Amino acid sequence: MPQFEGRSEVGSFQEAIDDAVERARQSELRAEMTVSYQVTKISGARGGIAGINRMLVVIEAEVH
């Protein structure tokens, strides 16, 4: 199953998932579709002088 990466620069899990699902959706150019996915990786970074609050998710997705 193809993998897609999603990111959030504000530490939002939902934003990162939405980004990954949108990337999966864009991989198929059909009018009506459903994306089924499973999260395979969650990682992030937070802190430092710059105030980093980054989240990364990787999903395996199938577009129907």
Side-chain angles (χ1 to χ4, degrees), residues 2-45:
Q3 291 191 330
F4 301 91
E5 185 176 286
R7 295 178 177 266
S8 170
E9 295 299 323
V10 294
S12 168
F13 179 72
Q14 186 63 55
E15 186 176 284
I17 288 287
D18 291 346
D19 185 40
V21 170
E22 180 62 20
R23 291 171 191 263
R25 193 189 69 72
Q26 289 179 3
S27 74
E28 297 284 333
L29 299 174
R30 290 184 266 159
E32 183 67 30
M33 66 186 78
T34 301
V35 178
S36 300
Y37 65 91
Q38 179 175 346
V39 176
T40 59
K41 181 179 178 180
I42 302 170
S43 61

